[in-house]
Amino acid sequence: MRSWLEKTFQLQARNTSLRTEVVGGLTTFMTMSYIIFVQPAILGQTGMDRGAVMVATCLASALATLLTGVLANYPIAQAPAMGHNVFFAVTVCGLMGYSWQVALGANFISGLIFLVLALVGLAGKLIEIIPDSLKQAIAAGIGLLIALIGLEYAGIVVARPGVLVGLGDMGSKPVLLAFFGLLVISSLMAYRIPGAILWGILITAAVGLPLGVVKYQGFVSAPPSVEPTLFRLDIIGALKSGLIPIIFVFFFLDVFDTVGTLVGVCAPAGFIKNGRLPRGNQAMLADSVGTVVGTLLGTSTVTSYIESTTGIAQGARTGLANLVTSVLFLGALFFSPLAAMVGGSFTYKDQVLHPVIAAPLIIVGFMMMKAVARIDWDNVSEAIPAFLTIVVMPLAVSITDGMAFGFISYSLIKLVKGEGKKVHWLVYLISVLLVVRYFIKYVS
């Protein structure tokens, strides 16, 4: 067994050991496993069966994580992406009114495009056409949108006539529970406790039980059936519904997330050699396969997780850590009652709230806001499009519109400034298509 592990993952060449990789894989799982509880709660808002979503999340995460470890031999785990699930549930299904089956169909097509490009080795090159300022702004804008949804799930932010939004009842049980969860997670993170978000979720749920905000449903059981979401995607419906712009957004969000995470995780770990990431395309291939299989099972875009840095910090240097994380995702299938408790709803003054997962969403939003530090705010032609991208996403509750404002303004400002030749022609094409989309929607 040890010889197989050595041959497959090259432990000695990477200056690591079996024990180190196991600890690293466990640490990564603890840090990112909050998605097991958050994903069903978010996608459940679309009418999807939450038990089936949990199973799909665990299976797709286990597969993509394993493939990354075996194909690329990197300790970079994968799971459904925060932000993508919000775009799926809130924008595509909520605001735009499409069924979750059609949304899954669009998500599947985007994953298939990514898969084909990864197979021919072109996926990584696509990211080069997007200006760095817009890449960072998209991440930050999604972070603000996620945080806003977390505040709404807590009841901290509510609808207010005349001013659109305002503060809710700060003395209500769900608000106080969400604040407690936020304090717990923040404190654990401040002390660099591995799995801070997961521990925060579990502690908050436990406190919510005696308050009556969380309903006890048990802890362990046989895995739920995946049948309610298995192969229920509507590919034909996605094509007939004119969801080409949505497919485009799903695709580019996946590419942005994957490349950004690979660079962010691999650079500090020393995996990048001479400015290039060996086997980077294999990692992107695993990502795309995870998305395609995930949509077939019944979950949104699967991508690389920045939380993998916690496992690397523990010394993980090979895909063996991913094997451990993958096995743990499979073991999580038996904790569906706990997931149902964590993601359960609580009705307060006609508001359907999710106070236990509110704090994790706010914290994830905080983590994604770090991207604003990498924007050149002194360069107006870069900064204004970035700013518009960041503010429009949460205020319009739309990742699509945030990206549209960013791309269109970037193209126009660069042209006016006389720097049009520095912009890739595909950026102009995307901008034109987005303008046409608005013309068709609002003028014609």
Side-chain angles (χ1 to χ4, degrees):
M1 181 66 175
R2 283 183 176 274
S3 60
W4 177 81
L5 292 175
E6 174 60 41
K7 181 180 179 180
T8 304
F9 299 108
Q10 303 172 348
L11 301 182
Q12 289 186 355
R14 301 290 181 86
N15 194 29
T16 185
S17 66
L18 174 61
R19 180 185 182 281
T20 299
E21 295 300 304
V22 170
V23 172
L26 173 61
T27 302
T28 293
F29 176 78
M30 288 291 292
T31 309
M32 66 184 292
S33 55
Y34 64 86
I35 193 63
I36 299 170
F37 306 114
V38 174
Q39 187 75 351
I42 292 179
L43 295 195
Q45 305 304 304
T46 69
M48 299 178 73
D49 182 271
R50 297 189 181 193
V53 171
M54 178 195 168
V55 173
T57 297
C58 291
L59 293 178
S61 302
L63 174 63
T65 298
L66 179 63
L67 286 177
T68 303
V70 174
L71 297 178
N73 198 19
Y74 288 131
I76 302 174
Q78 307 228 6
M82 289 298 300
H84 299 233
N85 50 10
V86 171
F87 176 64
F88 182 105
V90 176
T91 300
V92 180
C93 296
L95 296 178
M96 300 180 71
Y98 290 103
S99 69
W100 61 264
Q101 293 91 338
V102 169
L104 275 181
N107 211 160
F108 172 82
I109 295 170
S110 73
L112 202 59
I113 296 171
F114 194 5
L115 175 60
V116 171
L117 292 176
L119 285 172
V120 299
L122 293 178
K125 295 181 179 179
L126 285 176
I127 202 68
E128 298 174 4
I129 73 170
I130 309 300
D132 287 339
S133 59
L134 291 185
K135 294 175 196 171
Q136 306 303 334
I138 289 169
I142 292 174
L144 280 181
L145 176 57
I146 291 174
L148 174 62
I149 291 173
L151 293 169
E152 291 177 349
Y153 279 4
I156 297 172
V157 170
V158 297
R160 280 283 185 270
V163 293
L164 300 182
V165 295
L167 284 179
D169 182 354
M170 294 294 101
S172 67
K173 289 182 180 180
V175 168
L176 293 176
L177 183 62
F179 276 133
F180 171 78
L182 190 59
L183 176 61
V184 170
I185 296 175
S186 300
S187 300
L188 292 174
M189 290 179 67
Y191 281 99
R192 301 185 182 276
I193 304 297
I197 294 179
L198 174 63
W199 289 119
I201 288 175
L202 297 179
I203 293 171
T204 304
V207 172
L209 285 170
L211 293 176
V213 178
V214 177
K215 298 177 183 178
Y216 179 77
Q217 301 185 43
F219 294 97
V220 180
S221 72
S225 172
V226 74
E227 193 274 336
T229 58
L230 182 64
F231 301 135
R232 297 304 175 90
L233 65 169
D234 186 355
I235 301 173
I236 302 300
L239 294 173
K240 286 184 178 179
S241 299
L243 279 175
I244 301 301
I246 300 302
I247 294 171
F248 155 79
V249 174
F250 273 131
F251 169 72
F252 271 100
L253 285 178
D254 199 359
V255 174
F256 293 160
D257 257 3
T258 303
V259 174
T261 301
L262 287 176
V263 172
V265 172
C266 293
F271 296 150
I272 295 179
K273 308 296 183 182
N274 299 318
R276 301 187 66 179
L277 178 64
R279 304 177 306 283
N281 207 71
Q282 287 92 321
M284 299 185 80
L285 176 62
D287 181 297
S288 60
V289 171
T291 294
V292 170
V293 174
T295 53
L296 293 174
L297 292 170
T299 193
S300 54
T301 306
V302 173
T303 191
S304 303
Y305 258 57
I306 195 69
E307 285 83 354
S308 302
T309 53
T310 59
I312 292 174
Q314 294 295 317
R317 289 296 182 272
T318 75
L320 178 56
N322 271 26
L323 178 61
V324 175
T325 304
S326 181
V327 171
L328 291 171
F329 267 118
L330 295 178
L333 288 168
F334 296 91
F335 291 90
S336 59
L338 186 57
M341 289 169 55
V342 166
S345 61
F346 179 80
T347 302
Y348 178 78
K349 293 184 178 179
D350 298 325
Q351 294 175 286
V352 179
L353 307 175
H354 301 271
V356 177
I357 65 167
L361 292 176
I362 296 169
I363 290 294
V364 170
F366 148 74
M367 294 167 64
M368 296 182 71
M369 279 300 293
K370 296 176 183 178
V372 297
R374 296 186 287 271
I375 297 173
D376 184 2
W377 294 104
D378 292 326
N379 186 339
V380 173
S381 65
E382 299 283 337
I384 289 180
F387 171 75
L388 291 174
T389 300
I390 293 170
V391 297
V392 170
M393 278 190 190
L395 295 181
V397 195
S398 172
I399 294 174
T400 310
D401 289 322
M403 291 178 63
F405 271 66
F407 272 92
I408 295 171
S409 62
Y410 188 89
S411 299
L412 292 175
I413 293 174
K414 287 295 184 181
L415 284 172
V416 171
K417 190 180 177 184
E419 297 180 351
K421 293 182 178 180
K422 296 181 180 180
V423 181
H424 197 284
W425 65 269
L426 277 176
V427 174
Y428 289 123
L429 176 60
I430 293 170
S431 301
V432 170
L433 292 175
L434 289 169
V435 170
V436 171
R437 170 180 173 269
Y438 281 123
F439 181 83
I440 293 175
K441 185 176 181 179
Y442 297 109
V443 179
S444 62

